[in-house]
Structures are given as structure tokens and as C-alpha cells.
Amino acid sequence: MSTDRTRPSGRRDQGGPRSVPPQRSRRLQSHRPQRPHQWFAERLLAVLSGQRPVHWMLGHTIGEAYDQLAELAPSTPLGSTRGSRPVLRHCRGAQPATGVVEAFASIAEGDRVRAMAFRLEQGPDQRWRCAAVELGGERLDAGAPGPR
């Protein structure tokens, strides 16, 4: 009987588990953490397309931004058209002042491309929060019908 408890019983070879060097993909090597505006663009897209409920943004918005989203979300202005799901194509941000990021994103909905702009502000707790949202050049005001 074998005294080596790491090998299954009946195994006679002396080799243990083979060491295989980890393969690193190019994507993993160049992976950087998402910037705040990229993270917010994904979240705003999920809410405005109806994939997530508006309360998902609770605590991530300040001022009237949450009220704007709450009024707009039921109409899903970035909702699926002809079965295609909207996708975030590009997202870029600029920092006009310390603690402020103004960002824009392009969103593909089937054969249509829409623009979304938003402003992030960093609070005293160092967390980023959305302060304003615009879609397709029209401000998303509470009570106003969304663009279609």
C-alpha cells in the first residue's frame, strides 16, 4: 500500500501534477481599471435601455440627475430597436476642473448611433457621482418627453 497521500491509490508513476506555465493573453497584460466615466457610461446605458432599474443608480447621482433618470427611465430612450441591444461604442472624458469629469459616449442601437453626455463630480468622500445627463443633444429634463 502506498504511503504517498497526494497520489490516487493504484497510481505507480513518480510524477505529480505537471506544472503548466500560465498563458497570458495580450488583453490581460494591457488591462487597466476602468475610469469613472467609462463605468458610469455603462451604468447609464443599462438604466436608459431598460436593462436595469433606475434605483440601481441611487447613491451614484447627485442633485437633479436621479430625478431626471427616474422620470426618463420608464420610456427607455435607449431601448432596443428591432431586437438589437444598445452597445457602448466609445467613451471619452475631460477634466475641466479638479474633481469634475465631463464625458461623452456614443451608443450603437442597430444601425443607429446616439450620443450621450454626462457630468461627474467627486465628493468629499472621493466617490464619483453623476450630476447631469444629456442624450442626443437634448437635456433630459424631468417631466419632458424623451427623444425618440
Side-chain angles (χ1 to χ4, degrees):
M1 182 192 271
S2 174
T3 59
D4 186 359
R5 295 183 186 256
T6 60
R7 272 187 279 168
S9 63
R11 187 169 170 178
R12 302 285 180 229
D13 65 329
Q14 296 299 315
R18 293 190 182 140
S19 174
V20 178
Q23 294 182 1
R24 295 184 179 167
S25 70
R26 186 175 283 183
R27 184 179 183 140
L28 289 177
Q29 289 175 351
S30 65
H31 179 70
R32 288 180 269 167
Q34 273 191 325
R35 293 186 171 156
H37 59 276
Q38 295 165 326
W39 186 82
F40 270 91
E42 291 284 350
R43 288 183 83 88
L44 289 169
L45 174 60
V47 169
L48 295 174
S49 65
Q51 298 171 39
R52 293 285 186 167
V54 72
H55 69 265
W56 198 47
M57 291 297 290
L58 197 60
H60 299 291
T61 56
I62 56 174
E64 294 181 18
Y66 184 80
D67 294 334
Q68 292 170 348
L69 288 172
E71 287 287 327
L72 187 67
S75 67
T76 60
L78 296 177
S80 301
T81 56
R82 287 175 262 156
S84 62
R85 195 173 189 175
V87 177
L88 184 66
R89 291 178 55 196
H90 301 286
C91 183
R92 302 280 188 266
Q95 196 167 6
T98 303
V100 174
V101 173
E102 292 181 347
F104 64 92
S106 63
I107 298 160
E109 305 175 72
D111 58 351
R112 187 175 178 192
V113 177
R114 305 274 307 265
M116 177 174 64
F118 54 97
R119 179 183 174 97
L120 302 177
E121 295 179 3
Q122 193 173 29
D125 59 356
Q126 301 303 303
R127 291 182 54 200
W128 291 97
R129 292 179 179 85
C130 184
V133 180
E134 291 185 21
L135 187 63
E138 296 181 28
R139 185 167 175 81
L140 302 179
D141 292 322
R148 270 287 188 204

